[in-house]
Structures are given as structure tokens and as C-alpha cells.
Amino acid sequence: MRKESQERASLPRFFTLEMFMFTITVLSGLVLIWNLIAPNNNIIALFCAGIVFTLSIVVVIRLLMDPDSVRARQSDAMLKLASRTLACMNEGLDRTAAEKICELLLPSTAAIAVAITDKDRILAYSGYEESENPSGSIIRTHATHATIADGEMRVLFTPEDIGFPDEDSNIKAAIIVPLTVGRNVEGTLKFYYRRASHISETQKSIAEGFGQLLSTQMAAAALEEQTNLATSMELKMLQSQINPHFLFNTINTIASLIRTDPETARKLLREFAVFYRRTLEDSADLIMFGREMEQTRRYFTFEVARFGSDRVAMVEDIDSRIDDMMVPPFLMQPLVENAVRHAMPSEGKLTISITGEVIGQDVIVRVMDDGVGMTEESRQNILHPESSTGLGIAVKNVHDRICGYFGPGTYMDVESELGVGTCVKLVLKGGARREYQ
């Protein structure tokens, strides 16, 4: 926890240094001006103020031009913008949300206009020629129709490529990003530019990144509307995988590393994008156990970044034959997450061990930890039907789904001892036969 606190404090300290130097510059400048216009000049004060003003100007310029500081400010701004964008989509991507998002994105890019469409019409348009592109207007440009048709991102450098018949248009270039839900293209995010030279690699990255972010949130909204999940317990489980607490907690962890370890921050950001996408993709179908473990490892990467490798660790000893076994998704991650949340000691290191073995036609999987353990009463209660929050709902959900898929003879067993640790054992009847075909 101490390591996490130090990392989170590093970025604010950097911006505090900038503000301090700006303050020194302004104060020394005021003293310099006052001495210049005062009737009785104090030569010593004038000389000292001039030196302080000059030195502070040099330091401020060095701070502003330092590559690490530039990246820190850019990353911090993008993370805040992403957070505000997500907040606009609580109810999905409707016209109101689209208008707010366009207004947020426009000043944060080099574009002169930003637009969001569905498959047929403009949902929102902000910027140049806004009055000529009202919400609800039919999509006119062939490049937008082409993106909706093939789902490919387009970077366009001429009005003809965009589909503007009038070559006198001030819009000379554009980036069009498809918004997808699963394999279906549901709309586009468009950035229009005054000149082709304004489209840099940074602009492409921003466009692509926010296109993926909006697509992910659209998929999350669509997921919540589905009614074909087997039980309401599964829906609660899926919602817990994409809750805002986990989202913002991970963003804060990444933000804390931007200044101290930008390379690690970039890697975590990429991993988080994959994790979030996989969470949605894996929510409805059976997946291979190996894929479930990949997602579990990816999740644990964020916990190591958050708490530090001196506080949490995960080891595995899994028979390779189990990797191809088909299982319902979200079996292992909730158990590992519970171990981190509930078994972490106040001091020392928590080690989580995952084992998997094949015994005859059955598969035995164990998730063990050396944490604080639990009382006998707590152990008896976590599988109780009335458990509806926290540890109870996660463990019972896993139990119900393995029994529903693997059938009679499948069960979960929980052993725990205070101060020693906890072991959750999954006995998957006939699991060795449940391979990918």
C-alpha cells in the first residue's frame, strides 16, 4: 500500500512543481516591474529580481519542454477525457450522449469538427459547419458508408476521398473510425481537419483509441439489455466484471505510473483495453480454460501494479491437457479477485496458487491462498442461497454455473483456517472430455 501511495503522489507532485515555478516567475516579475517604475529604484532589489526572474523562466521552459513532462500531461489529459466520455454513456450511445461526447472531443484534438453517426443518420455534430449537419440528418459521404460496410478505419487526405463534391470546402481531410458491437458495425466516429498535414500519428491514435472506447461502452450497454442469460445471477456476475469501481481504480493505477514508469503505464493501458474487450466478448459463450487463465493473468497484472510485487503474487501448476477444456467464462478470475480482496493480510505478502490436474475423466482445479482465512461460520455461509453480495455471490455464481454445465457429480468445496489461508476446490465431472471440437 505504501508503494501505491508513493506512485499516486508522484504525478501531483510534478504538477505542483510546475505551479510553484510559475508562481516564483510571476512574483519575481512583479517585483522587477515595481522597481522599474518606482521613483526611487533599489538597485540591489532590481538586480536580484532580474536574476530570479531569468532563472525561473529558464526552469519553467525546461519543465514544459521536457519529453517526460509533455507525455505526462498528455496522458493525464487523455485519461481524464476518457473518464468524462465514459460518464456520458451511462444509458448507451443515444443522441444526447453523442452530443456531449462530440463537444468533449473537439477541443482536445486538431480537428475542426467531430461527428458521431449510427448506421444511417448523424447522431451528433460539433464544430465547423455544425448548422449544416443537424442531428438526424442522413449520412451523405461515401467514405462513411464504406466504413459502415466494411468496418475499416479510414484516414482520408482529400475532399474527394471523403466524398465532398465541393472542392472549396474548408474540410480537406478526415479520420473515420467504425463503432462496433461484436462483429457488427453500429456507427462511426469522425474527425474532420482543415488540412491533411494536421493528421499526425497522435491524431490517428486519439481517433482509434476513442473509437475503441465508445465501441466497448456500446457493447457493455447492449450486454445489459440482453435477456437470454441463463439466470439473473449470471447477469449480476457480468455486471460486476465491468463495474465503474474497477474501471476507475485501474485508471488511477495507470495514471500513478505515467510519471515514474511511462513504459509500464503504456503496457498496462494496452492490457487493460484487451482485458475490457475480452470481458465483454467472453460473457455469453463457452471458452477454453486456457483463455480463461489468460484473462485471469491479465487481471492479476493490474493487482500487482496496484499493490506491488512485494505484496501479491500468483503461481500456477496446471496440467497442459486442461487448456483445451471448454468451460463457462469467469470461473477463475472471480475466485482470484476474492482472494485479493478478502484474504490480503495487513502486512506481508499474499501468494495465490492455482493448480489443475486430470484424474481419470475428471478435472480438479484449486485456488489457494496463504492469507487471513475465515471462520467456520463464514465458510458455511458463502454458498448459502441468500448470499447476495461480495464473496457470497461470486463463489455461489461459480458453483451454480459449473454444476449447470458439467452436470451431476460436479461440486465446489471450500476449506479455510484463520491465519493460515483458504482453498477453493472445483471438481469438474467429466471435464477431461470437454475439449474444443
Side-chain angles (χ1 to χ4, degrees), residues 132-160:
E132 300 175 21
N133 296 275
S135 177
S137 301
I138 295 176
I139 297 172
R140 298 189 299 272
T141 58
H142 65 71
T144 304
H145 285 293
T147 299
I148 293 172
D150 62 19
E152 296 293 330
M153 173 178 163
R154 282 175 165 75
V155 181
L156 310 165
F157 297 104
T158 67
E160 293 84 355

Side-chain angles (χ1 to χ4, degrees), residues 96-380:
T96 301
E99 289 173 358
K100 293 179 180 178
I101 292 170
C102 286
E103 291 173 358
L104 284 173
L105 294 180
L106 181 60
S108 301
T109 71
I112 59 174
V114 177
I116 295 176
T117 75
D118 58 19
K119 291 187 287 188
D120 303 303
R121 298 179 180 274
I122 297 173
L123 290 177
Y125 189 106
S126 181
Y128 179 74
E129 295 184 347
E130 182 174 341
S131 60
E132 300 175 21
N133 296 275
S135 177
S137 301
I138 295 176
I139 297 172
R140 298 189 299 272
T141 58
H142 65 71
T144 304
H145 285 293
T147 299
I148 293 172
D150 62 19
E152 296 293 330
M153 173 178 163
R154 282 175 165 75
V155 181
L156 310 165
F157 297 104
T158 67
E160 293 84 355
D161 290 340
I162 300 171
F164 291 148
D166 183 6
E167 296 185 2
D168 294 331
S169 173
N170 282 330
I171 295 177
K172 303 296 185 182
I175 301 176
I176 305 178
V177 185
L179 301 179
T180 60
V181 177
R183 297 182 179 179
N184 299 320
V185 179
E186 299 296 337
T188 63
L189 171 63
K190 303 191 289 185
F191 296 84
Y192 291 123
Y193 300 86
R194 194 179 299 277
R195 296 183 180 84
S197 60
H198 291 171
I199 299 181
S200 62
E201 290 302 318
T202 298
Q203 294 298 306
K204 293 177 186 177
S205 297
I206 290 174
E208 185 175 15
F210 277 96
Q212 292 177 352
L213 184 67
L214 297 185
S215 295
T216 300
Q217 284 302 104
M218 290 169 64
L223 183 64
E224 291 180 354
E225 296 176 359
Q226 291 182 357
T227 57
N228 60 351
L229 295 177
T231 64
S232 61
M233 189 73 74
E234 287 180 311
L235 179 57
K236 292 179 181 178
M237 179 276 302
L238 292 174
Q239 290 172 333
S240 72
Q241 304 307 311
I242 55 176
N243 68 75
H245 174 77
F246 174 73
L247 173 67
F248 294 122
N249 191 40
T250 304
I251 287 178
N252 285 335
T253 300
I254 296 172
S256 71
L257 292 169
I258 289 173
R259 177 61 180 168
T260 59
D261 193 350
E263 184 59 31
T264 299
R266 283 192 289 271
K267 290 179 180 178
L268 284 175
L269 196 56
R270 287 195 296 268
E271 285 297 297
F272 182 64
V274 176
F275 174 86
Y276 203 53
R277 173 71 69 176
R278 289 284 177 85
T279 295
L280 300 176
E281 290 176 348
D282 293 347
S283 59
D285 302 317
L286 296 172
I287 63 172
M288 288 189 290
F289 185 81
R291 181 179 173 111
E292 170 67 12
M293 283 304 303
E294 287 178 3
Q295 187 74 337
T296 302
R297 296 185 197 104
R298 192 170 285 114
Y299 158 79
F300 198 76
T301 299
F302 307 134
E303 298 291 26
V304 173
R306 180 185 176 194
F307 294 104
S309 58
D310 58 335
R311 289 283 284 143
V312 290
M314 186 173 75
V315 296
E316 302 174 29
D317 183 13
I318 300 173
D319 191 318
S320 60
R321 291 175 293 174
I322 301 176
D323 286 343
D324 293 337
M325 176 179 64
M326 300 304 292
V327 297
F330 308 117
L331 286 186
M332 307 307 296
Q333 182 199 326
L335 300 180
V336 172
E337 185 174 357
N338 273 332
V340 174
R341 292 178 60 187
H342 300 284
M344 178 80 76
S346 57
E347 296 181 357
K349 185 175 184 179
L350 174 71
T351 300
I352 300 171
S353 303
I354 302 177
T355 66
E357 58 180 334
V358 177
I359 301 180
Q361 296 296 317
D362 303 334
V363 172
I364 312 297
V365 178
R366 293 179 177 87
V367 178
M368 300 168 285
D369 66 69
D370 57 359
V372 298
M374 67 180 78
T375 64
E376 178 61 18
E377 181 181 3
S378 297
R379 189 188 75 85
Q380 292 290 342

